[in-house]
Amino acid sequence: MANYKGYIGTYTKGDSKGIYTFTLNTDEARIEDIKVAAELGNPTYLAISKDNGYLYSVVKEGDTGGIAAYSIGEAGDLTAINSQVSAGAPPCYVSVDSKNRMVFGANYHQGLVQSHLINQEDGSVLPYASIREHEGSGPDPRQEKPHTHYSELTPDEKYLAVCELGIDAVITYAVEEDGTLTQVNLLPVKAGSGPRHLVFHPNRDMAYVMTEFSSEVIVLNYNPENGHFTEVQYISTLPEDFKENNQGSAIHISANGRYVYAGNRGHNSIAVFSVDPGSGELTFVEHTSTEGDWPRDFEIDPSGKFVVAVNQESGNAVLYSRDEVSGRLTLITSDITVPYGVCVKFLNY
């Protein structure tokens, strides 16, 4: 029997207490043992170290915000280590490098990207190593200023890729050993599109960006020599006849790079795309309902055979089986209670 431990980050309002943990039982195709793993304010995004020793979370503490560090026990339990917070809103995204040396944050409200070194003795987060504030705006009323939404290392970990929703740009920073961030490229994308999240192809120099405002996936070529991106394709995540409010959310890719999945908040669906083995461009496959309201995030499990999604506003998690050949999703259950879920992560297996 294969059991996979996972974590869900939430907004701590209503009944939500913080970070939740669960177990995916793949033999029985069900989610079990959902419980609170750590009580903290608004742990809206999570990152797990490659060795499964540490979990890093966004945290809000009163009028301050930042990043909190936890150790992960053998049973998946979380023990608080420390937090680094400062005045103002917390980041909306957090990521960690493969050697657990640095943690990165993207701050939507403050329009900046940040880096922290990690104490190698205990996994604690050290004070800021580098902060880079962005400038500019976009045509959408929600783009009145920069709104940084994503920051994660490129596959070779030479650069930090950043999605700047507020100014319609994908920005690349070189990362020094001391955590210093130096901008090396800024790719302007379609005005008013609102680039939100990015995922790299697992075995070719390409990336896929989910836009929040235009509900599209942008296919990009990536040059690992200089950290530059170039546009290849735009493809909608919505049916042509859907005219109601929608905001793009998460984007993920299968481990073999054959399928890309993109979340729609409003249409309340996951759009499935096949990846052309030659060009890397996308072809639409299907929409799958998320059986709830406002799907903020989802994740493919380590076996590649299941997907877990969380609906923020309806307070439910959803389990699908995933056909590894066709990429299609089939609903298993949607009655799993998780209040205000916004992020799903599995341990690394």
Side-chain angles (χ1 to χ4, degrees):
M1 181 175 71
N3 286 334
Y4 297 122
K5 180 68 69 174
Y7 298 87
I8 297 173
T10 70
Y11 278 113
T12 47
K13 54 185 179 180
D15 295 331
S16 178
K17 302 298 183 185
I19 301 172
Y20 289 75
T21 184
F22 67 91
T23 299
L24 173 60
N25 179 330
T26 59
D27 282 2
E28 301 292 334
R30 67 187 184 197
I31 288 176
E32 303 172 334
D33 197 25
I34 299 176
K35 59 186 178 183
V36 177
E39 293 193 16
L40 72 165
N42 284 358
T44 54
Y45 213 83
L46 314 173
I48 295 170
S49 64
K50 188 174 181 180
D51 64 1
N52 292 331
Y54 302 97
L55 180 147
Y56 297 94
S57 172
V58 171
V59 63
K60 185 178 189 299
E61 298 178 359
D63 294 330
T64 67
I67 296 172
Y70 290 83
S71 62
I72 302 175
E74 287 188 12
D77 52 297
L78 300 180
T79 301
I81 301 173
N82 81 322
S83 62
Q84 290 289 346
V85 297
S86 58
C92 65
Y93 194 95
V94 61
S95 63
V96 62
D97 74 326
S98 64
K99 297 179 181 178
N100 211 50
R101 291 189 60 253
M102 297 182 202
V103 63
F104 305 93
N107 196 304
Y108 175 90
H109 292 285
Q110 299 186 46
L112 58 83
V113 61
Q114 65 199 68
S115 67
H116 299 259
L117 295 180
I118 294 172
N119 186 323
Q120 297 301 288
E121 294 183 1
D122 62 2
S124 60
V125 183
L126 298 177
Y128 289 122
S130 188
I131 300 174
R132 294 291 177 261
E133 295 187 24
H134 301 144
E135 297 180 349
S137 59
D140 191 283
R142 295 164 289 184
Q143 294 177 308
E144 79 290 357
K145 64 177 184 177
H147 289 302
T148 317
H149 216 302
Y150 165 98
S151 59
E152 192 145 342
L153 289 169
T154 57
D156 61 8
E157 302 200 340
K158 285 173 56 179
Y159 301 104
L160 187 72
V162 175
C163 288
E164 232 314 332
L165 178 147
I167 64 174
D168 295 317
V170 178
I171 306 172
T172 317
Y173 290 90
V175 183
E176 306 298 333
E177 288 291 316
D178 64 358
T180 299
L181 304 176
T182 305
Q183 183 176 316
V184 296
N185 189 54
L186 186 152
L187 172 71
V189 296
K190 183 190 293 184
S193 60
R196 176 185 171 91
H197 278 191
L198 179 153
V199 63
F200 281 93
H201 194 286
N203 47 43
R204 61 191 300 168
D205 294 329
M206 301 193 77
Y208 301 88
V209 174
M210 182 64 185
T211 68
E212 179 166 327
F213 299 149
S214 66
S215 301
E216 294 172 294
V217 177
I218 310 172
V219 181
L220 303 176
N221 280 326
Y222 172 66
N223 185 336
E225 298 302 315
N226 58 18
H228 289 212
F229 290 96
T230 54
E231 294 168 309
V232 176
Q233 179 193 21
Y234 283 74
I235 186 169
S236 177
T237 65
L238 294 172
E240 287 186 11
D241 60 356
F242 185 82
K243 304 302 180 185
E244 299 171 42
N245 175 53
N246 188 77
Q247 296 178 28
S249 58
I251 186 164
H252 297 287
I253 190 167
S254 61
N256 60 10
R258 292 183 58 191
Y259 295 98
V260 166
Y261 299 82
N264 287 309
R265 296 174 295 174
H267 188 248
N268 294 336
S269 66
I270 296 173
V272 184
F273 300 92
S274 62
V275 180
D276 185 279
S279 67
E281 294 187 23
L282 301 183
T283 300
F284 175 74
V285 175
E286 69 169 358
H287 289 110
T288 301
S289 171
T290 60
E291 307 294 326
D293 187 21
W294 219 244
R296 185 67 174 259
D297 196 18
F298 57 90
E299 187 67 282
I300 302 170
D301 87 307
S303 75
K305 297 178 180 178
F306 298 91
V307 168
V308 176
V310 287
N311 290 297
Q312 177 182 318
E313 295 306 312
S314 52
N316 65 311
V318 186
L319 178 64
Y320 306 89
S321 61
R322 191 182 82 90
D323 188 305
E324 295 177 272
V325 176
S326 70
R328 293 175 181 269
L329 305 180
T330 301
L331 176 67
I332 296 174
T333 184
S334 61
D335 61 356
I336 306 159
T337 299
V338 180
Y340 298 101
V342 295
C343 176
V344 185
K345 293 289 182 185
F346 282 98
L347 290 178
N348 301 297
Y349 290 89

